[in-house]
Amino acid sequence: MSARISLFAVVVEDMARSLEFYRLLGVEIPAEADAAPHVEVVLDGGVRLAWDTAATIRSYDPQWQAPTGGHRVAIAFEFPGTAAVDAKYAELVDAGYEGHLKPWDAVWGQRYAIVKDPDGTVIDLFAPLPGA
């Protein structure tokens, strides 16, 4: 059997605050998950997205420290059209989340924008440009 990506996990300091961001992004997460130390959801396409509190990670890896400096991982969410990218970026920034790069038409044929979740994880928002 070959390996396949099954799950992406994000380490968070405040589960409820982080899940609020992802709900606003459009991920369906039950309200009772806010108090859990580990949360998983299955996204369209079958890949799982999970969140673990820093305390959960430290329970089995006491030396764990949050990364510093630039990002090494981004989670990209595709939207049905370019206007949806612009609208979601504006909605997230208006809600107080950090906008990293405002929406632009990328040379690779996508409308693209970048925001950061409450813990600094880079979240890419994109949609194919018409005719691309």
Side-chain angles (χ1 to χ4, degrees):
M1 176 179 138
S2 62
R4 67 179 174 86
I5 294 176
S6 174
L7 180 134
F8 289 94
V10 179
V11 180
V12 303
E13 290 295 330
D14 180 329
M15 186 66 79
R17 182 172 171 241
S18 293
L19 296 183
E20 177 184 330
F21 170 87
Y22 286 91
R23 286 183 187 108
L24 190 57
L25 192 56
V27 179
E28 293 183 25
I29 307 165
E32 61 271 13
D34 287 1
H38 172 84
V39 176
E40 281 186 30
V41 297
V42 179
L43 302 174
D44 291 344
V47 172
R48 295 174 296 152
L49 181 56
W51 300 265
D52 290 293
T53 62
T56 298
I57 301 302
R58 287 188 187 106
S59 74
Y60 62 83
D61 183 359
Q63 269 48 196
W64 183 85
Q65 294 181 22
T68 59
H71 73 274
R72 293 187 176 264
V73 174
I75 302 172
F77 287 85
E78 184 174 359
F79 288 84
T82 59
V85 170
D86 293 1
K88 186 55 67 177
Y89 179 88
E91 181 181 11
L92 291 166
V93 170
D94 289 349
Y97 299 105
E98 181 182 348
H100 182 68
L101 292 175
K102 292 179 181 178
W104 81 96
D105 291 345
V107 298
W108 54 85
Q110 293 175 329
R111 184 71 173 168
Y112 223 87
I114 300 174
V115 295
K116 291 185 179 180
D117 79 2
D119 294 284
T121 302
V122 171
I123 306 297
D124 297 345
L125 315 174
F126 73 95
L129 289 171

